[in-house]
Amino acid sequence: MKSSLLILLSALCLFSSAQQAQLDSLKGVFEDNQEHDTLRAEAAIKYANYTEYSDFQGAIEILDEQIESTKSRHPIWAGRAAHAKAKMFQHKSKFGLSFKAVQEALDYFERANFKSGIAHCYNIKGNIYIDMGEYDKAMEFYLKSLEVFEEIENLNGQAIALCGLGDINQLTGRPKASIDYYKEAITIDSMQNYPPGIAASMVNMGGAYHRMTQYEKAKECYSKAAEIHKDIGNPVGYSNALNNLGLLLMDQGDDLGAIEYYKKSLFISDSLKETEGMSITNRNLGSAEYNQGNFQKAIAYCMRAKELADRDSILDSQYEACLCLRESYEAIGDYKKAYEYSMITDELEDSLHNVSSMRDITQREMKYGFNKVLLTDSLAHAEELKLQRAEKRASDAKKNAEIQRGRWLIMASIAGLVILLLYAFILWRSNMARKRANKIIRHQKAEVELQKDIVEEKNKEIIDSITYAKRLQEAILPPQRLVKEWLPQSFILYKPKDIVAGDFYWMESVDNWIYFAAADCTGHGVPGAMVSVVCSNALSKSLLEEGKSSPASILDRTRELVIERFGRSEEEIKDGMDISLCALNWKTGEMQWAGANNPLWIIRNGSDEVEEIKADKQPIGKYGESKAFTNHIIKLEKGDSIYIFSDGYPDQFGGERGKKYKSGKLKRYFLSIQEQDMGSQRQLLSDEFENWRGDIEQIDDVCIIGVKI
């Protein structure tokens, strides 16, 4: 043990010396006005990241200075500084300030069209929402982040987003699914030889195995992470991995083994002056010593943990340390001390409940974009004031008790034993009454919390089911990889109204023909999604299994299959879909098209008009007088653009008067953006939709496919 600690000490000394030299070098660069602005910004951001834990406020001030000095000429570097600030605020659980900073970074990155930065901002938003317990919003931003990282082929970013998706699955009770995401992230980081990312995923995967009580696999992951952190010179990561190994051994009943890991972790945290890590590890050591029956050692460790937690107002550590102190004093028969810490534990439990309530308020504020008030930090300040007032009340109460005690001594000396006994009797009755009242309150509180847990569990089950339904629906959509392979100059704008959608896009390749469609099924949400699965399967069967080749024949057969499927119900079901279906021969440029209620728009190269080919006025589904669909053959030229879509975009209400967008306005907007590439057209269409919608709720699913020949 002693020799291993000496080795760690030597390594830390070397690390500290090297880090100080690097810090001095970085400081010299960003304080030198003769250096280029971007070099100064890069050095300042690195310096702030290194000093985050030792001088948090100083790091924030350095980043603010860089944002101010680069925002006009170098918006990407201003965005990077704001992004670093957002991460620091998130580490401190200052969610309001973190959200504000990441939105500022996103604005700079979008101004510069810096997609990597945009994706990283999405990832930070996912982190914030996951910390706030808003798992559906976190999932949305992690998926957006992954989509952009895949688009720009950024492997490091893909691994980060996959880790976030793994965390969501683990936190929502699906550790097996989370492990798949972590393994995929590890594979990507291994391909690019990125040890920090591998170590982070290993720790998370170890947590999933730990939760599943697969202790050997958890230990393997934690140990691998510790080894990597040690090799790359990351003492904080190494310390955390050792702590995880200690917790794992405690869960297996090996407290002595856990203590060895905790002591190594504490040695590193003490050397780095990392307050939160020191507090947590001291608390863990106290718990392990308590389990071993070493109550005095447990008290010493937990007292140290409480002092550190008090210094930085770390409520969780304060509560856990006081809980262990109460139990330790009870074990050695010091009931006075045990009672004191029992009272402190009750106060901290109330404070934790208040913080949880504040977090709920902040969640609601986050849903409205933090437009006016960032409640998180003001509420944290209010909590600090509350604790200060509680300390003052305790101090005043102590003084009053001393005065009262003096008075009672005087009264006792005058009135004698009779008055003293009377006081004792009154005190006893008061104490009994207080205990009865507390018992009633605890019982009522338990009933309320039980009902709350039932409601939350039901709500979670519903959200989990819909979220899983979204994954199933996404399985029928063609992956972006195939879309870009088959139609390189194209875009798909897909905006479901709810978690799942009635709109969907479909794509297949047969011989030299690429088949693609934008479809709008009856309804939206869960009912629409169920219809979309039936209709998508029918399209694929018509083309791939039954060999229908022209768009019209595919729609004719698809209608028969959909009616046949819904006709099995005892009730009459008239659900179906509107669709615009294209078949493009990539060798000859010939295109065939057929539509059910939804048209095809063509903008010829250099033209200032939109050519519209109208669809047959009948849906795919049960209809009064059905007729065969019309097959259109269209000759396209290089530079022509074609667009197919559902009615969600033109039907959206918005603008100053809250009216529909309408098809005519959409045609004019398509013409105005013809000079842009297809990726830019997608972003412009998305921005136009959101700006038009404003604060008005999205009324329907949106799906637009654009292809340039």
Side-chain angles (χ1 to χ4, degrees), residues 246-247 249-256 258-259 262 283-295 297-298 324 327-328 331:
L247 292 170
L249 289 180
M250 278 188 70
D251 286 347
Q252 293 177 276
D254 184 2
D255 296 308
L256 290 175
I259 289 171
Y262 290 147
R283 186 194 68 208
N284 290 342
L285 273 165
S287 297
E289 293 289 2
Y290 176 86
N291 291 343
Q292 287 294 300
N294 301 325
F295 303 123
K297 286 186 178 181
C324 185
E327 293 172 350
S328 297

Side-chain angles (χ1 to χ4, degrees), residues 202-215:
M202 279 292 181
V203 168
N204 294 338
M205 188 160 67
Y209 282 126
H210 196 158
R211 178 172 293 189
M212 296 164 63
T213 68
Q214 295 186 21
Y215 296 131

Side-chain angles (χ1 to χ4, degrees), residues 603-667:
I603 300 179
R604 301 290 182 178
N605 188 17
S607 174
D608 58 356
E609 294 183 356
V610 177
E611 178 183 335
E612 179 175 351
I613 301 179
K614 296 185 180 297
D616 293 307
K617 294 299 181 182
Q618 58 181 354
I620 300 296
K622 208 160 190 179
Y623 186 64
E625 295 182 6
S626 299
K627 59 182 181 180
F629 285 96
T630 306
N631 200 64
H632 299 265
I633 298 177
I634 303 154
K635 184 67 177 176
L636 297 172
E637 301 293 339
K638 183 178 181 180
D640 291 350
S641 297
I642 60 175
Y643 300 94
I644 56 177
F645 48 87
S646 64
D647 59 3
Y649 199 114
D651 284 352
Q652 177 62 44
F653 291 98
E656 294 181 357
R657 299 182 180 180
K659 294 187 175 181
K660 285 187 177 182
Y661 193 87
K662 294 187 177 179
S663 298
K665 184 176 178 66
L666 183 57
K667 287 180 179 179

Side-chain angles (χ1 to χ4, degrees), residues 3-55:
S3 61
S4 63
L5 289 178
L6 288 173
I7 293 170
L8 283 172
L9 179 59
S10 301
L12 286 170
C13 289
L14 290 172
F15 172 80
S16 179
S17 300
Q19 187 184 52
Q20 188 57 50
Q22 188 174 13
L23 286 174
D24 293 340
S25 174
L26 291 171
K27 190 174 183 181
V29 172
F30 75 77
E31 288 184 346
D32 186 354
N33 293 328
Q34 301 302 315
E35 289 283 3
H36 192 274
D37 288 347
T38 57
L39 290 176
R40 294 178 64 202
E42 182 178 14
I45 292 170
K46 288 182 178 179
Y47 185 88
N49 285 331
Y50 279 130
T51 58
E52 172 188 355
Y53 292 103
S54 59
D55 184 10

